[in-house]
Amino acid sequence: MKLLVSALEPSSNLHLKEVLRHAPDLELLGIFDKSLGNPLHDISEMAIMGVVDAIKKLRWFFKVADEMVSLAKEADKILLMDSSGFNLPLAKRLKKAYPNKEILYYILPQVWASRPKRVKKLEQYCDHLLGILPFEIDYYQSKAQYVGHPLLDEIHITHQENATSIAFMPGSRRAEISKLLPIFQAVRRELSDKQAIIIIPKNFSSEKIKTLYGDLSEFEISRNTHDALAQSEFAFICSGTATLEAALIGTPFTLSYIAKKIDYFIATKFLNITQVGLANIILTHHNNTTLHNELLQEEVTVENLLREYYETNRSLFDQKAQELKAYLAQGSSAGVAEIILH
């Protein structure tokens, strides 16, 4: 079976890889990580940071969408993952061009956080809406089902009771790293008696690491997020999938994020986003509690981060992490593969 895939994010491609373990004979077309086949465009070409960057690349994204619609002629089914800014307009064009081709959307847009009108479009243009958060299904009238969470398939390790290291995750994008890394380095110096691990994406070359991160001599470098988090007593994490990974592993952490001022203004004033951490969002919907603190913008200081390290209630964190895991219940990969194949 030929499957047209639009998976722009690194996290989406990790989830896609797990699905392929249950459907090894699928032939992929489209946009995905080059480790999974021969993509039309590798995901490194698709990376953007915020609204401003998206506007700059708008014309190029239209060209890529044209290519995807043309390529869909060869596909038996279509799988769209996350990235609704690109994938939702693409779904509309694909359904118009190929009304009889089945379109699956896996890793649904966060309609519960902003722009709920997308629900109507998703239900109109897609045939299967595969949610990875139990509560998000309630926002749909039809076609949506909870399939489990992919991280429960991908995490095979738990937090070590005798962990002594401290993990730092300043993100994977230039803008994130440039803002957070100097603060993280200052925190590391204040905790000089501790072993410090900086976690870097596996696909970054030595040259890219040097360009983005500079001098990392104060840290041990790790390319394995799960192992590094498991052996760390605490973590300082930029917003992203890593916050949920740490929660499911059981490593206490605090979220630190500094966005471009215009992006933060749009998110808080126009999109009404009040929480950034996915673990917090999930628990708030489940039982109106939170897992960790969120330090945003000017709150991200050395003093505040050190306070988080010393004052975070580890036992309460563990309790809430277990509640989160129980709520998510199961992995999603096998179920998604079955839906694709049938």
Side-chain angles (χ1 to χ4, degrees):
M1 177 187 290
K2 291 185 178 181
L3 183 69
L4 182 76
V5 174
S6 179
L8 281 58
E9 295 290 336
S11 58
S12 298
N13 281 272
L14 289 174
H15 306 332
L16 176 59
K17 185 177 180 180
E18 285 296 314
V19 171
L20 294 176
R21 286 180 58 244
H22 302 279
D25 295 330
L26 281 176
E27 180 182 345
L28 303 188
L29 312 170
I31 303 167
F32 46 86
D33 189 89
K34 58 188 175 185
S35 67
L36 301 177
N38 184 27
L40 177 68
H41 291 282
D42 181 66
I43 61 169
S44 60
E45 300 176 58
M46 312 296 291
I48 56 171
M49 183 67 187
V51 177
V52 175
D53 287 351
I55 292 172
K56 288 179 180 177
K57 293 186 75 171
L58 195 57
R59 182 175 294 180
W60 183 78
F61 275 111
F62 280 128
K63 174 180 173 291
V64 174
D66 289 340
E67 294 171 347
M68 288 288 281
V69 173
S70 177
L71 189 59
K73 293 176 186 176
E74 303 175 30
D76 298 298
K77 291 187 180 182
I78 297 160
L79 177 66
L80 309 177
M81 300 182 68
D82 206 351
S83 306
S84 65
F86 180 78
N87 280 334
L88 194 49
L90 178 61
K92 179 180 181 180
R93 293 188 58 187
L94 289 168
K95 183 53 72 175
K96 182 178 180 181
Y98 312 101
N100 296 321
K101 287 200 177 184
E102 200 170 282
I103 300 176
L104 301 90
Y105 208 123
Y106 176 41
I107 320 294
L108 298 177
Q110 297 176 350
V111 297
W112 37 268
S114 63
R115 294 175 287 161
K117 291 182 180 178
R118 288 179 291 177
V119 166
K120 211 172 269 190
K121 294 178 181 178
L122 284 159
E123 291 179 328
Q124 182 178 355
Y125 308 136
C126 301
D127 301 287
H128 296 279
L129 301 173
L130 311 180
I132 63 171
L133 302 174
F135 66 83
E136 67 185 346
I137 305 306
D138 296 337
Y139 288 78
Y140 295 86
Q141 298 296 317
S142 63
K143 299 182 181 178
Q145 63 184 102
Y146 176 61
V147 291
H149 200 285
L151 285 181
L152 291 176
D153 293 321
E154 297 161 21
I155 292 175
H156 307 290
I157 197 168
T158 58
H159 187 237
Q160 299 171 9
E161 289 185 11
N162 59 348
T164 56
S165 300
I166 298 176
F168 294 84
M169 300 189 72
S172 59
R173 295 177 169 123
R174 183 184 298 274
E176 295 171 338
I177 295 166
S178 65
K179 291 181 174 70
L180 282 177
L181 185 56
I183 299 171
F184 283 0
Q185 288 172 321
V187 171
R188 193 273 172 276
R189 293 182 202 113
E190 291 294 325
L191 300 171
S192 57
D193 59 323
K194 301 287 184 179
Q195 181 182 16
I197 302 173
I198 188 163
I199 301 173
I200 293 175
K202 289 181 180 179
N203 62 335
F204 279 17
S205 66
S206 297
E207 183 180 343
K208 188 170 186 177
I209 292 171
K210 186 176 180 180
T211 301
L212 291 181
Y213 296 85
D215 181 15
L216 294 176
S217 58
E218 298 173 295
F219 301 92
E220 174 188 332
I221 296 175
S222 175
R223 303 297 196 97
N224 191 315
T225 300
H226 296 170
D227 284 351
L229 287 172
Q231 63 181 309
S232 297
E233 61 162 304
F234 196 83
F236 297 99
I237 302 177
C238 176
S239 174
T241 304
T243 57
L244 187 55
E245 289 177 299
L248 294 176
I249 289 169
T251 303
F253 69 93
T254 191
L255 180 152
S256 309
Y257 194 72
I258 304 173
K260 291 179 182 176
K261 289 184 178 180
I262 187 171
D263 291 336
Y264 184 75
F265 179 81
I266 291 170
T268 55
K269 302 302 181 183
F270 291 98
L271 303 180
N272 297 317
I273 293 174
T274 58
Q275 289 178 308
V276 177
L278 186 53
N280 278 347
I281 291 167
I282 294 169
L283 272 181
T284 297
H285 279 87
H286 174 44
N287 58 20
N288 203 32
T289 62
T290 57
L291 178 72
H292 59 87
N293 285 340
E294 301 185 359
L295 301 182
L296 307 174
Q297 304 302 91
E298 292 83 6
E299 296 174 344
V300 185
T301 66
V302 175
E303 181 182 14
N304 286 343
L305 291 175
L306 289 170
R307 185 180 298 115
E308 288 294 310
Y309 170 71
Y310 287 114
E311 296 183 5
T312 293
N313 186 325
R314 268 65 165 175
S315 60
L316 179 60
F317 179 94
D318 183 63
Q319 175 192 326
K320 291 299 172 184
Q322 292 301 321
E323 291 176 10
L324 171 65
K325 197 170 185 177
Y327 179 52
L328 294 177
Q330 71 210 29
S332 59
S333 306
V336 171
E338 186 177 349
I339 293 168
I340 292 171
L341 294 172
H342 294 91

